[in-house]
Amino acid sequence: MIDADDEPETDAVDAPAAHGVAGTIRLSLLGADPALAQALRRGGAVLADAEPGPKQASAALLARFHYGLASARAGRLGDVRLIAQLFEEVATRSAPLLWPQPDGTQVDAARPEVDPAGLPDTAAATAYRAAHLDALAKLLGETETLILPLSAPALLCDPQSGRVAPRPAPGVVIPDWPEAPGTAEDLDAGFARLLSALTTLAPNAALRLIVLPAPAEASTETQAAHALVASRAAAWARAQPRVAHDPVLDALVARLATLPTEDRDFDRLATLIVRLCGGADLLDLVEGTAAPLAPPPETDRKARQKDPERRAKRKAKAEARDKGKTAKVMCEDELLEAFSK
């Protein structure tokens, strides 16, 4: 455990997520596998960091306590219910849900992987939680593009409060709580809660959802749970103008996860993912397929048709089309051959 005296100042959010510098894409990322944050940085993104680690600590120690792995030390999150609950706690500042350990330490049930060794006592755990929520509040208030990676982690539910918590790694003593499988109704309710909280906390933020792939060794039940998350995320994004979810982006992230970081295509794919996360349309990134400008509205159709200059232009275009038919067929053949390789 890093001493409280070494904790960073949480009111100093590094690089608020705004597109302020030409050529840069600034994002905020909450949750997910640390490899995703690394890939986004490799792809050229500037990730906001609401909880920077102590400068004197080693990289290995910082990573163990989740410093620098995302924009805040919130753990892997993944389930929309857990994300919504976290944002609600930012607004309400409710008391943390703690798991007492046999040695007297306290583990924050909302993010047991972040401080796996536990905190000395309830006072310290409460202070750490308050500092985390302060940092999140500042981050959400300043971010412009918020990336929320989704998955289907195993959650536990507190029977008394109804609050959920991720299942911790072996070694953490937990109470006898039942599991909280996510039904379609549960996920839809979680998305509604999330939107309500963000309306207050991040009124200017655009949300981009990424549904992470199920682990390669995942059971049939886990794969079905991931498919359900993808389905409900897509439905929610279609209904909300500030929310975007693209299954193509999901597929690209899944592909990136299979590539070694030293692979020559890793950086190219990471750059593409960053641009899509930053708001680019996939078609705009394909050379030669940008949508043409819309023609001006016609005010007097008959007058425009009789205009001699317009008639001459139409005749020239028709002649050019006739001359270009052969070239067009050759171009299409070349494209088909290129994409078939």
Side-chain angles (χ1 to χ4, degrees):
M1 179 181 62
I2 296 178
D3 293 336
D5 291 339
D6 292 334
E7 277 293 291
E9 294 293 330
T10 55
D11 60 350
V13 177
D14 182 25
H19 298 272
V21 181
T24 64
I25 296 178
R26 299 183 182 275
L27 306 171
S28 295
L29 172 71
L30 285 181
D33 190 287
L36 180 57
Q38 178 189 16
L40 292 176
R41 290 190 176 97
R42 282 274 295 270
V46 176
L47 292 186
D49 191 352
E51 296 182 270
K55 294 181 179 180
Q56 68 272 26
S58 67
L61 182 62
L62 292 175
R64 180 188 173 197
F65 290 93
H66 280 239
Y67 285 106
L69 301 186
S71 293
R73 296 197 311 144
R76 292 180 183 268
L77 295 174
D79 194 293
V80 65
R81 296 169 294 171
L82 195 58
I83 301 172
Q85 177 179 280
L86 173 60
F87 289 177
E88 289 169 351
E89 291 177 359
V90 172
T92 63
R93 302 306 171 99
S94 55
L97 197 59
L98 303 176
W99 289 333
Q101 300 300 293
D103 61 358
T105 59
Q106 300 283 340
V107 170
D108 186 344
R111 49 177 190 165
E113 62 196 316
V114 171
D115 290 302
L119 295 162
D121 50 39
T122 300
T126 301
Y128 268 57
R129 185 67 175 171
H132 172 59
L133 297 180
D134 286 342
L136 267 178
K138 186 171 181 61
L139 173 74
L140 294 174
E142 295 180 345
T143 194
E144 183 174 295
T145 302
L146 178 62
I147 309 299
L148 293 180
L150 303 179
S151 57
L155 296 187
L156 303 175
C157 181
D158 177 11
Q160 294 184 350
S161 66
R163 295 159 76 181
V164 293
R167 180 177 288 279
V172 177
V173 177
I174 60 176
D176 186 20
W177 289 358
E179 288 196 356
T183 65
E185 292 75 16
D186 292 332
L187 296 176
D188 289 344
F191 281 123
R193 291 168 54 198
L194 174 60
L195 184 63
S196 177
L198 284 175
T199 300
T200 301
L201 297 171
N204 300 317
L207 269 64
R208 305 206 177 276
L209 309 179
I210 299 177
V211 180
L212 301 176
E217 69 282 1
S219 64
T220 302
E221 292 77 9
T222 300
Q223 294 178 9
H226 275 256
L228 179 61
V229 170
S231 171
R232 302 322 303 158
W236 188 55
R238 285 194 297 267
Q240 303 296 334
R242 67 184 298 189
V243 182
H245 170 253
D246 189 344
V248 173
L249 180 57
D250 294 349
L252 293 176
V253 171
R255 170 62 177 154
L256 188 70
T258 68
L259 293 177
T261 56
E262 65 274 9
D263 190 286
R264 68 182 185 89
D265 289 333
F266 187 93
D267 288 334
R268 295 171 59 199
L269 187 53
T271 300
L272 176 59
I273 290 172
V274 167
R275 294 185 66 182
L276 292 174
C277 287
D281 186 273
L282 182 62
L283 291 179
D284 292 336
L285 302 181
V286 180
E287 184 177 358
T289 60
L293 294 176
E298 293 187 2
T299 56
D300 187 342
R301 183 178 181 84
K302 290 184 178 180
R304 292 166 64 87
Q305 288 178 338
K306 293 179 180 180
D307 181 22
E309 184 178 350
R310 288 180 56 83
R311 294 178 65 181
K313 288 182 178 179
R314 287 200 299 270
K315 182 178 179 181
K317 287 181 179 179
E319 292 175 352
R321 280 197 299 269
D322 292 338
K323 293 179 180 179
K325 284 182 179 179
T326 302
K328 182 177 186 293
V329 171
M330 291 178 61
C331 181
E332 290 177 347
D333 289 342
E334 290 171 359
L335 285 175
L336 290 173
E337 181 180 356
F339 280 102
S340 65
K341 293 180 179 180

